[in-house]
Amino acid sequence: MIRRFGVFSLALVAVLTIVSVASQAAPQPMLTRHTRGPVVNGEAQSLGRLPASQTMHCDVVLALRHAPELDNFLQDIYDPTSPNFRHFVSVEEFTARFGPSQEDWDAVVRFAQENGFAIVGGSRDGMDLQLRGTVAQVEKAFNVKMGLYQHPTENRSFYAPDREPSVNLPFALWHVSGLDNYSIPRAQVARRNDKIHVHANIKGSCPDNSYCGSDMRAAYYGSGPLTGTGQNIGLLEYVGYDIADLNTYFKNVKQTEAVPVTGISTDGTSLSCLAAQGCDDREQILDMVQAISMAPGATGLYVYVGATDTAILSSMTTHKPLVSEIGSSWTWQPGDPSTDDPYFKKFAAQGQNYFQAAGDSGAYNSGSQYVFPADDDYVTSVGGTDLQTQSAGGPYSSETAWEDGGGGYFTVDAIPIPSWQKTPGVITSKNEGSTTLRNSPDVAAEANFDFYTCADQEACQTGWGGTSFAAPMWAGYMALVNQQALENGNPVLGFINPTVYTLGLSAGYGAAFHDVTSGSNGYPAVAGYDLATGWGSPNGPGLINALAGSGGGGNPGIGFTPASLKWGKIAIHTTAPGKKKVVVTNTGNATLNITTIAATGDFALVTVKATKTVTPCVNGTALAAGATCIIKVSFTPTQTGVRTGAVKFTDNAAGSPQSVALSGTGK
C-alpha cells in the first residue's frame, strides 16, 4: 500500500510538473495592444537596447470580471424607463461585482514579488498594481526586449517593447502602462499668434478686456444661488503645480478663492512644479481657475497628478471623497484605444462624469491617429466656441464655432457609434457626421484666445485659449447641476451623454442649450448637433433645470388621473377600440420638466392633438405648477391571457421615474 501510494505520488508530481511546464511554456498575452506601428514595421530606427540596470515604473492593470454584465448594467442604469435608473454603485460594490477577484489580485501580487519588483502603489479597488524594477526585470517578467528608437515624427528618441508583452499567470491581464514613451501627454492650452483671428471687441473683466474665469460663470450660468456646495471636483494633470500661481491669479483679478485645493500624487509623481526648476504650470493653474470660478462654493477641488493614464484614472475611481465631476485638458495616445475603457465605464457606474477637451487643431483628420480620449464613447467631449458677452463680466450675447476647436470622427482604431448618437435626428447630411462611428464633440464652450492666465510666478498674460479652458469649466458647471439635483432629492447625474442627446432632440432643447449655428472648425456649425460645437454651450439655469430639476424656492410634483388603466378582453393582434386617457398634473410649486415618456408591453402611446385647451405630454414638456398635459394609450395584445405594462415618466420630480400601470387581456 505504501508502494502504491509512492507510485501515485510520483505520478501526481509528474502530472503537476507537466502542467507547470505547459503553463510556463504558454504565457498569457495581454487583452490590449501595446506595440507601436513604427516599431513593428521598422519605420522607427533602432538605437539599441535600454540599459538592463535602468529603473522603470509600470502600472499593471487587471481585467474586469463579468465585462458583458457591466455593459448591461450601464445600459440599465442610464435607461430612464428602467427602475434602476441612476442607481449607481459604490467603489466597494463595483469591485465586488466587476473588479478583479481577491484570488486574481493575490496572484498578481505574488507574480510581482517573485519577479523582484517593488510594489509602490495601486489597489484591488483600483484594478492596478504599480511596480518599480529594472529593465532586466521588466523584460523577464513580461517576455519582451526593451529597445530605444528614433521617433519618426518628433525630434527625440523613445523606448518601447519589441513585441506584445505576456505573463506567466493562469489568466490574462488587461494592460501594462509605462512600457513605452512613444506618446507624451500634451496639454491643450495654446497662445494667440498673429495668424489667428480674434474678436476686437472682447468684453471681459480681466486685464486688456480679456476673459476671467468668473466671466464664464456670468455668461453660462448668471447670478443664481448655486455655487457647487457639497460637490467635489477632480482635475486630471500629468504635472504638478505651484499654488502661489493660483493665489496670484485671484489676487490680480481682485477675487477671493475659497475652494480648498488638494493635490494627490497617484503614483509618486511630484506635486510641485516651480518655474525656478524649469517647470510650467499654466495648464494646471488655468484648469483650477476655470473649475473654481464656475463653482466658487465647491466643497473641494482635487488635483490628481501622475505619470501614466491608468494610475491617474484608477485613483480618481477610488479616492474618497469620490469626485462626481472630472475635467481633463490633456491628450495622450495609448497603443490601444480601449486601454482606459475599464476606468471610463467605472466612472459611469459610480455616478461620475468625465469631461475631456476635444483638441485645438480644428476638424479631425478621419484617417489619422485618433485624438484620445476625446473620442472615447464613455467621456463627454468638449469642443470650442468664440463667445461674446453683452458687457464686461456681463451676460451672454452670442457665440460662433471656434475655428481651432477639435471635432469629427476617426476611421483608424475606430470606436463604433454609441447608442445615444444613433437616434434619428442626431447625425444628418448637414452636420456631415458618421452614422457608424463615434462623433465628437458632445458639448462646447468658449475657447478662443481671449483668456487671462497666471503661471510660473509673475507670468500673468492675456491671449491664451484652447478647449483646455472649456473642459474644466464644464466640470465646474456640472457641480452646479449635481448640487441642485441633490437639493431636489435626486441622485447626481453621472454620465450625462445619454440624457444630453435625448434633451437635444426634445422641445426643451432651446431652453437648455445655446445652439451655435454659425462658424466652422472645418465642419459647419448647424442647427442642432454638429461636429464643431456638439449640442452647444450651457444656456444658464435652463440646462441645470432640464438635467437636475427646477430649484430655487420650490419642488415639482407629478400626479396621474387615473393612476392606472385597464382594458377588458381583446382579440390578439387587434387594437382595442378607443384610446384611454391619463391627465398628468404638476402637483408641486416649481416647473415640472418631463424628459421622456415611454410605454412598455403590448401598449403604445397615441399622438394627442394640441388645442387651446389640451396640451399633449411629450418628451421635453415643461409644466408650470398646477398645469396639466394629456397622454393617450392603445392596447394591442400579442398573446392570450393577462397582459401588463406601464407608461414610464422620467422627470425632475421626486421619485422619478414614475409609472402608470397598464393591464388588459388577450383572447
Side-chain angles (χ1 to χ4, degrees):
M1 185 171 182
I2 294 175
R3 181 179 176 83
R4 286 199 298 272
F5 181 77
V7 171
F8 174 77
S9 298
L10 290 173
L12 179 60
V13 169
V15 169
L16 293 175
T17 300
I18 292 172
V19 171
S20 176
V21 170
S23 175
Q24 294 175 10
Q28 291 281 347
M30 303 289 166
L31 296 174
T32 52
R33 186 176 72 243
H34 293 68
T35 52
R36 300 290 183 166
V39 172
V40 175
N41 62 28
E43 181 183 0
Q45 178 186 358
S46 175
L47 301 178
R49 296 274 295 276
L50 282 186
S53 60
Q54 181 174 318
T55 299
M56 292 186 67
H57 291 79
C58 299
D59 190 22
V60 176
V61 181
L62 285 76
L64 291 165
R65 278 186 302 161
H66 315 307
E69 180 187 336
L70 174 58
D71 290 340
N72 292 336
F73 173 74
L74 291 174
Q75 185 176 8
D76 190 34
I77 64 172
Y78 286 100
D79 178 1
T81 67
S82 168
N84 298 316
F85 183 54
R86 291 182 181 153
H87 287 191
F88 305 120
V89 294
S90 67
V91 173
E92 295 76 16
E93 288 170 337
F94 185 93
T95 300
R97 292 183 62 176
F98 309 113
S101 67
Q102 187 66 54
E103 180 182 16
D104 287 356
W105 172 257
D106 292 341
V108 174
V109 171
R110 288 194 301 271
F111 163 82
Q113 294 170 337
E114 290 168 357
N115 281 278
F117 289 107
I119 297 175
V120 295
S123 67
R124 181 185 166 210
D125 283 337
M127 302 186 292
D128 71 325
L129 190 68
Q130 297 170 15
L131 310 177
R132 183 180 68 244
T134 65
V135 169
Q137 289 169 329
V138 168
E139 291 182 332
K140 179 181 178 182
F142 299 113
N143 300 301
V144 296
K145 293 180 180 178
M146 295 301 302
L148 189 64
Y149 304 89
Q150 178 61 44
H151 202 287
T153 60
E154 301 174 18
N155 186 25
R156 65 179 179 89
S157 61
F158 70 96
Y159 61 84
D162 66 331
R163 68 198 74 182
E164 289 296 335
S166 58
V167 290
N168 294 323
L169 284 168
F171 53 87
L173 295 173
W174 177 254
H175 190 77
V176 180
S177 297
L179 290 183
D180 77 81
N181 66 343
Y182 176 82
S183 170
I184 297 176
R186 301 186 189 281
Q188 295 295 285
V189 65
R191 185 82 192 276
R192 179 177 62 218
N193 60 54
D194 293 337
K195 297 180 180 180
I196 297 173
H197 170 72
V198 180
H199 277 301
N201 298 315
I202 294 300
K203 298 183 178 70
S205 60
C206 263
D208 297 330
N209 298 320
S210 60
Y211 284 133
C212 295
S214 57
D215 295 339
M216 298 302 99
R217 176 177 167 88
Y220 291 132
Y221 172 58
S223 57
L226 297 172
T227 62
T229 300
Q231 293 301 301
N232 294 295
I233 304 170
L235 296 174
L236 179 147
E237 308 290 351
Y238 277 94
V239 182
Y241 56 91
D242 183 353
I243 198 66
D245 291 325
L246 185 68
N247 296 333
T248 296
Y249 170 89
F250 281 101
K251 178 182 177 181
N252 286 5
V253 301
K254 298 179 175 57
Q255 296 174 5
T256 301
E257 197 286 282
V259 178
V261 177
T262 303
I264 300 170
S265 176
T266 63
D267 56 7
T269 299
S270 175
L271 293 175
S272 176
C273 177
L274 302 177
Q277 299 172 350
C279 187
D280 180 10
D281 66 350
R282 191 172 303 275
E283 178 64 75
Q284 301 84 288
I285 297 301
L286 76 86
D287 288 350
M288 297 182 203
V289 166
Q290 291 295 97
I292 290 171
S293 297
M294 182 58 73
T299 298
L301 178 67
Y302 292 84
V303 184
Y304 295 81
V305 181
T308 65
D309 48 350
T310 56
I312 302 173
L313 297 173
S314 170
S315 181
M316 287 179 152
T317 67
T318 57
H319 182 266
K320 294 184 179 180
L322 199 66
V323 290
S324 296
E325 310 87 14
I326 298 168
S328 168
S329 300
W330 296 76
T331 185
W332 63 95
Q333 289 184 336
D336 190 318
S338 67
T339 295
D340 295 322
D341 275 1
Y343 294 113
F344 293 139
K345 291 181 179 182
K346 191 179 181 190
F347 285 142
Q350 295 178 170
Q352 301 169 274
N353 196 90
Y354 183 101
F355 293 97
Q356 173 64 41
D360 306 329
S361 299
Y364 300 153
N365 177 355
S366 63
S368 68
Q369 185 73 29
Y370 52 88
V371 174
F372 189 85
D375 62 330
D376 193 275
D377 52 344
Y378 278 95
V379 310
T380 300
S381 180
V382 184
T385 67
D386 185 3
L387 170 72
Q388 289 285 287
T389 57
Q390 295 180 25
S391 60
Y396 180 96
S397 176
S398 64
E399 219 163 358
T400 60
W402 183 46
E403 59 188 336
D404 289 334
Y409 57 89
F410 294 93
T411 58
V412 178
D413 285 324
I415 296 174
I417 188 170
S419 60
W420 28 269
Q421 282 190 337
K422 287 183 180 179
T423 308
V426 175
I427 303 303
T428 66
S429 59
K430 290 184 178 180
N431 62 37
E432 303 177 16
S434 171
T435 58
T436 60
L437 303 174
R438 163 70 158 123
N439 298 272
S440 294
D442 303 303
V443 295
E446 160 66 9
N448 202 359
F449 299 99
D450 304 325
F451 285 97
Y452 175 77
T453 67
C454 290
D456 309 331
Q457 278 304 286
E458 304 306 326
C460 294
Q461 300 171 332
T462 60
W464 288 87
T467 53
S468 61
F469 286 86
M473 185 284 294
W474 263 96
Y477 185 86
M478 194 66 196
L480 309 184
V481 175
N482 283 329
Q483 177 190 351
Q484 182 161 306
L486 292 173
E487 289 177 353
N488 287 348
N490 298 320
V492 297
L493 271 73
F495 183 45
I496 64 170
N497 283 18
T499 301
V500 163
Y501 279 76
T502 298
L503 179 60
L505 295 172
S506 75
Y509 171 50
F513 280 96
H514 297 297
D515 185 9
V516 182
T517 59
S518 63
S520 169
N521 66 347
Y523 286 104
V526 299
Y529 178 79
D530 58 62
L531 278 65
T533 64
W535 289 107
S537 62
N539 190 356
L543 179 57
I544 296 175
N545 292 338
L547 294 175
S550 299
N555 292 296
I558 189 167
F560 307 109
T561 306
S564 63
L565 298 176
K566 186 175 182 179
W567 282 259
K569 294 183 179 180
I570 305 296
I572 62 172
H573 306 304
T574 301
T575 300
K579 310 298 184 289
K580 294 186 181 292
K581 179 177 71 174
V582 175
V583 177
V584 180
T585 304
N586 180 357
T587 59
N589 56 359
T591 301
L592 172 68
N593 294 305
I594 300 175
T595 306
T596 61
I597 309 170
T600 64
D602 292 348
F603 305 89
L605 295 172
V606 179
T607 301
V608 176
K609 184 178 180 180
T611 68
K612 291 183 178 180
T613 58
V614 174
T615 299
C617 300
V618 296
N619 293 348
T621 293
L623 285 182
T628 62
C629 63
I630 292 173
I631 63 167
K632 289 186 178 180
V633 185
S634 65
F635 172 48
T636 308
T638 58
Q639 298 180 26
T640 59
V642 176
R643 312 297 295 161
T644 60
V647 178
K648 296 186 177 181
F649 292 76
T650 57
D651 47 66
N652 60 329
S656 177
Q658 306 89 0
S659 298
V660 174
L662 309 173
S663 65
T665 302
K667 67 176 182 179

